[in-house]
Amino acid sequence: SSGINAEYGEVNTERFETMSRGINHVEGGWPKDVNAAEVEQTLRYRKKVEKDEVYIQAIQQLGSVMEHTIKQNNAVDIYEEYFDDVIEDGCVEPPSAKTINVFRDPNEIKRTATNISWYPDNAQKLAVAYSVLEFQRSSPGMCMDSYIWDVESPNKADMALKPISPLVCIEYNPKDPHCLVGGQYNGQLAFWDT
């Protein structure tokens, strides 16, 4: 026994139906007694509103806010060349990356790593969700395990997570790094306290 205690739980979510609706807004904001198609009525209403004291105060208040913002924008020269006196030396290395470790699915039938979550306290561990996302392409005997890997030992997983359906995504809890939550292929959520 490795001395590791693990807990496991599942949650089934209810289906939530959504609907998208649109509206074509051509003209609006007029009182019911003003016909928006009649130019004379709309002009008369505009003149009435423009004489209203509340409207005048609102415009004055908005004008001062806008003036302040314009002055802020004018204080910064957005077209100024800050580094025109810097001479490029021409020997800038192109960006590069090198492989340090490879974490392979330890099962015979290889699956896609569908999600990765780094351990929040340090970068020594990562949880990897493995699954086959192609509909009905998984074989009956396929392993459903996902794994927690130690960065220093890529040849053997630190811990196996055993959900009832393959994990599609996984995430550490940033406030409690011993807790993980995973979204399973069947729509359920799984929770582990490692």
Side-chain angles (χ1 to χ4, degrees):
S1 173
S2 64
I4 297 174
N5 294 330
E7 295 178 23
Y8 173 74
E10 295 179 16
V11 177
N12 195 5
T13 57
E14 292 183 26
R15 183 171 299 277
F16 179 74
E17 295 190 22
T18 62
M19 183 184 306
S20 295
R21 293 186 183 175
I23 186 168
N24 185 13
H25 183 76
V26 179
E27 187 69 46
W30 299 104
K32 292 185 180 190
D33 59 331
V34 176
N35 183 358
E38 291 288 329
V39 178
E40 198 173 303
Q41 285 185 17
T42 57
L43 280 173
R44 199 174 322 123
Y45 183 74
R46 278 192 189 124
K47 285 182 182 179
K48 177 183 164 194
V49 168
E50 287 171 1
K51 291 178 183 174
D52 186 10
E53 190 63 35
V54 176
Y55 174 80
I56 294 169
Q57 288 175 355
I59 293 296
Q60 287 174 341
Q61 183 183 4
L62 289 173
S64 64
V65 171
M66 190 169 71
E67 183 180 9
H68 173 73
T69 307
I70 290 170
K71 285 180 179 177
Q72 276 185 324
N73 285 345
N74 289 338
V76 177
D77 183 5
I78 63 172
Y79 299 107
E80 181 181 351
E81 290 289 336
Y82 290 100
F83 305 105
D84 56 350
D85 59 337
V86 176
I87 302 168
E88 288 190 31
D89 56 3
C91 64
V92 177
E93 287 185 30
S96 64
K98 72 176 191 174
T99 303
I100 296 172
N101 285 330
V102 177
F103 302 92
R104 299 187 195 283
D105 183 4
N107 297 291
E108 252 182 66
I109 302 170
K110 301 302 178 201
R111 302 161 298 161
T112 304
T114 54
N115 193 254
I116 298 170
S117 179
W118 285 98
Y119 189 73
D121 280 355
N122 59 24
Q124 287 302 110
K125 292 184 180 186
L126 64 146
V128 182
Y130 291 96
S131 64
V132 175
L133 296 178
E134 296 166 358
F135 183 64
Q136 295 184 336
R137 292 288 304 271
S138 60
S139 58
M142 184 177 287
C143 180
M144 291 185 273
D145 294 356
S146 288
Y147 301 96
I148 297 175
W149 296 91
D150 188 326
V151 174
E152 298 299 321
S153 58
N155 296 327
K156 185 176 182 298
D158 199 40
M159 181 185 287
L161 305 172
K162 299 184 175 293
I164 61 168
S165 178
L167 290 180
V168 178
C169 59
I170 193 165
E171 193 68 41
Y172 274 105
N173 181 344
K175 297 195 187 282
D176 184 0
H178 299 289
C179 295
L180 291 113
V181 66
Q184 300 178 98
Y185 190 77
N186 66 359
Q188 293 180 335
L189 294 175
F191 177 83
W192 287 271
D193 186 354
T194 60

